[in-house]
């Protein structure tokens, strides 16, 4: 965790009027004056909900953090070695802007083999990025004009909203709820569409809920996208982290969707490679070309060693075995933790994907902010309030369970003590 980041002041989310700007400048308060000169876009971006709990947790000893959405593994050995060897061989320069051709080829092949994806042209329809984070930012920058509306089912990964706002667009919240397994319905999309709607952004398996959508449910969404001519951005970064009988369906592989979908995927979660910073985008050449144009000015090329490691991850059978072992271990912890939450009275919908549980805290009588703060102060367990991830998240907290099994046990004991104290 980068603690130095935490010292940055948050841009004020309050938009100052011109008169306030002037007054502030006249009063000579430089800091306030600088705040008032920040762009409207950046001031519209809400602060990350995670930060406050990180800040608090770092001041305390013996905290069990269920706050961080990262694998608790080191990158599997063959992948790690491939990255290190590439650097040792002197590959420390930029790569081609779009990424090394072998990696683009490997992404295309993997998507076709694994998900019967359309045969993307690695030259013009695939881009290697600095994680899905960059790919999402590029997608929004390439697509969105001020005033364009983007439909975003929520709760969702915090960057979705920020990226739409930073592109000048308007986020149209579509709340999803535990009662409906946090899935998006065609009727909800239909109800949210206006003449300004340009795109729909989906992210299943979902951070923060762990919800997944099956083929039938996604096909119904695809029909609405077709009917209303929507561009779909599908963040499938957790595609391999699915459990029980669930089979991941790549949205772009559904009939008629390849030509209107930007598919985003990455190495961070499935391969325990968050720090290598490699993701990819695949989609129609017109859109990918526009994203490439921004990427070459913004980034030049994704990390060189990371691309070598990613190539190994996508092509080496040992890497595949490592993924399966990690998924089995997450699954074990998932069932243990989710059962435990339900037993202690924190009702939890069964997440079939990613590595998050999203229990309701309503039975404690507290809202999610009060719950998260008191749980941290009184029992030293860090969780994230669900409404920080948008509409539909209120009354819930996000718990990331890639934590050692023994620590999960202790966390549950502490949470049990805590909820009993508050009458559950
Ligand atoms: C749903 C989702 N999308 C994208 C990202 C960003 O991942 P990357 O490391 O590829 O930038 C995350 C990270 O937490 C995520 O949860």
């Amino acid at each position: 965790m980068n603690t130095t980041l935490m010292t940055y002041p948050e841009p004020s989310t309050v938009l100052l009027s011109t008169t306030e700007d002037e007054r502030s400048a006249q009063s000579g308060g430089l800091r306030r004056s600088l705040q008032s000169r920040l762009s409207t876009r950046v001031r519209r971006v809400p602060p990350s909900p995670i930060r406050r709990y990180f800040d608090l947790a770092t001041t305390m000893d013996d905290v069990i953090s269920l706050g961080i959405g990262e694998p608790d593994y080191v990158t599997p050995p063959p992948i790690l070695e491939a990255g290190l060897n590439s650097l040792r061989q002197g590959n420390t320069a930029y790569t081609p802007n779009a990424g090394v051709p072998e990696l683009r080829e490997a992404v295309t092949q993997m998507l076709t083999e694994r998900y019967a994806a359309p045969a993307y042209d690695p030259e013009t329809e695939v881009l290697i990025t600095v994680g899905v984070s960059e790919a999402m930012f590029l997608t929004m920058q390439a697509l969105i004009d001020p005033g364009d509306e983007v439909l975003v089912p929520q709760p969702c990964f915090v960057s979705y909203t920020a990226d739409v706002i930073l592109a000048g667009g308007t986020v149209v919240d579509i709340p999803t709820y535990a009662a409906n397994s946090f899935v998006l319905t065609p009727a909800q999309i239909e109800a949210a569409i206006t003449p300004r709607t340009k795109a729909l952004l989906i992210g299943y398996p979902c951070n923060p809920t762990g919800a997944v959508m099956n083929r039938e449910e996604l096909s119904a969404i695809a029909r609405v996208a077709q009917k209303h001519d929507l561009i779909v951005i599908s963040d499938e970064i957790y595609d391999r982290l699915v459990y029980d009988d669930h089979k991941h369906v790549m949205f772009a592989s559904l009939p008629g969707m390849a030509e209107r979908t930007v598919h985003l995927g990455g190495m961070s979660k499935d391969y325990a490679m968050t720090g290598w910073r490699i993701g990819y985008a695949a989609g129609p050449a017109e859109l990918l070309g526009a994203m490439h144009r921004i990427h070459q000015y913004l980034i030049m090329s994704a990390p060189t060693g990371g691309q070598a490691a990613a190539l190994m991850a996508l092509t080496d059978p040992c890497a595949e075995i490592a993924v399966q072992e990690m998924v089995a271990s997450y699954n074990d912890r998932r069932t243990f933790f989710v059962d435990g939450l339900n037993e202690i009275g924190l009702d939890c919908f069964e997440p079939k994907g990613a590595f998050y549980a999203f229990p309701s805290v309503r039975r404690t009588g507290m809202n999610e902010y009060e719950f998260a703060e008191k749980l941290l102060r009184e029992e030293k367990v860090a969780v994230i309030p669900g409404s920080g991830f948008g509409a539909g998240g209120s009354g819930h907290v996000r718990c990331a369970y890639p934590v050692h099994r023994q620590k999960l046990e202790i966390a549950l004991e502490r949470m049990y003590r805590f909820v009993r104290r508050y009458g559950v």
Side-chain angles (χ1 to χ4, degrees):
M1 189 168 52
N2 186 348
T3 43
T4 54
L5 262 182
M6 288 170 189
T7 60
Y8 289 119
E10 282 289 350
S12 164
T13 47
V14 181
L15 302 180
L16 302 176
S17 70
T18 316
T19 33
E20 279 172 311
D21 284 355
E22 284 163 1
R23 218 179 299 134
S24 143
Q26 281 161 10
S27 75
L30 182 60
R31 273 187 85 167
R32 185 155 161 72
S33 150
L34 288 177
Q35 278 276 358
S36 74
R37 280 183 265 174
L38 296 176
S39 74
T40 309
R41 284 190 316 284
V42 83
R43 283 191 272 155
R44 284 211 172 107
V45 173
S48 163
I50 298 173
R51 184 180 143 150
R52 176 174 157 66
Y53 297 88
F54 269 163
D55 288 357
L56 195 55
T58 48
T59 64
M60 298 164 68
D61 292 329
D62 186 32
V63 170
I64 297 181
S65 177
L66 308 179
I68 306 173
E70 289 207 81
D72 60 339
Y73 291 100
V74 170
T75 305
I79 305 175
L80 188 75
E81 285 305 319
L84 294 175
N85 283 339
S86 166
L87 295 172
R88 279 194 206 103
Q89 283 159 16
N91 298 323
T92 55
Y94 299 126
T95 71
N97 288 143
V100 292
E102 295 83 355
L103 180 56
R104 280 182 275 150
E105 182 72 51
V107 167
T108 309
Q109 205 172 326
M110 175 275 289
L111 291 174
T112 315
E113 281 168 12
R114 195 170 289 148
Y115 301 121
Y120 290 110
D121 176 358
E123 280 290 308
T124 58
E125 296 180 324
V126 177
L127 180 64
I128 306 300
T129 58
V130 181
V132 169
S133 302
E134 191 219 344
M136 182 64 76
F137 183 80
L138 295 179
T139 312
M140 293 306 163
Q141 293 294 322
L143 270 178
I144 300 304
D145 275 326
D148 286 344
E149 292 178 356
V150 181
L151 308 181
V152 185
Q154 299 181 11
C156 66
F157 178 49
V158 289
S159 293
Y160 296 172
T161 309
D163 286 340
V164 174
I165 295 171
L166 288 171
T170 303
V171 176
V172 176
D173 303 348
I174 305 186
T176 62
Y177 300 103
N180 198 24
S181 306
F182 291 107
V183 300
L184 174 68
T185 65
Q188 286 178 298
I189 302 178
E190 297 264 12
I193 284 177
T194 75
R196 309 224 59 161
T197 308
K198 193 176 241 179
L200 165 69
L201 198 175
I202 54 175
Y204 292 92
C206 174
N207 172 7
T209 61
V212 293
M213 284 183 71
N214 63 29
R215 180 175 293 276
E216 206 180 311
E217 290 161 339
L218 289 172
S219 299
I221 302 298
R223 285 192 288 276
V224 182
Q226 194 127 41
K227 178 174 159 199
H228 294 280
D229 195 18
L230 300 178
I231 292 164
V232 180
I233 302 123
S234 186
D235 173 2
E236 301 180 26
I237 191 167
Y238 295 99
D239 62 340
R240 311 289 315 275
L241 307 187
V242 294
Y243 312 107
D244 288 350
D245 51 352
H246 183 73
K247 296 261 176 298
H248 181 75
V249 174
M250 180 185 174
F251 191 80
S253 72
L254 296 171
M257 287 304 103
E259 53 265 41
R260 61 174 67 254
T261 302
V262 181
H263 171 87
L264 306 182
M267 314 310 295
S268 288
K269 315 290 175 163
D270 298 351
Y271 298 90
M273 289 177 66
T274 46
W276 296 85
R277 309 308 302 127
I278 301 293
Y280 49 84
E286 296 74 12
L287 282 176
L288 265 286
M291 290 162 65
H292 180 239
R293 192 178 310 167
I294 305 165
H295 168 86
Q296 66 193 359
Y297 289 118
L298 186 72
I299 299 290
M300 302 277 251
S301 59
T304 303
Q307 292 190 59
L311 181 59
M312 180 61 79
L314 294 183
T315 52
D316 180 57
C318 295
E320 180 56 28
I321 293 168
V323 170
Q324 286 170 14
E325 284 170 1
M326 289 190 282
V327 172
S329 163
Y330 294 138
N331 190 27
D332 175 54
R333 289 179 276 178
R334 175 186 74 104
T335 45
F336 169 74
F337 189 63
V338 172
D339 288 352
L341 288 172
N342 281 310
E343 273 165 32
I344 67 174
L346 293 175
D347 303 325
C348 188
F349 135 94
E350 191 189 351
K352 293 258 179 149
F355 38 46
Y356 307 102
F358 203 61
S360 165
V361 299
R362 291 206 177 94
R363 285 171 64 181
T364 64
M366 286 180 254
N367 70 32
E368 64 278 14
Y369 290 99
E370 204 184 342
F371 180 95
E373 182 140 358
K374 285 191 168 154
L375 179 65
L376 182 54
R377 287 190 194 281
E378 294 177 23
E379 292 292 345
K380 298 186 176 177
V381 176
V383 298
I384 310 293
S387 48
F389 300 93
S394 67
H396 293 262
V397 292
R398 188 191 79 172
C399 308
Y401 55 77
V403 170
H404 195 283
R405 167 88 182 229
Q406 235 171 350
K407 281 200 172 170
L408 280 183
E409 277 174 36
I410 300 169
L412 277 175
E413 279 163 23
R414 293 181 183 184
M415 289 166 97
Y416 174 73
R417 215 164 39 216
F418 180 73
V419 298
R420 284 294 167 276
R421 197 176 309 138
Y422 287 94
V424 175

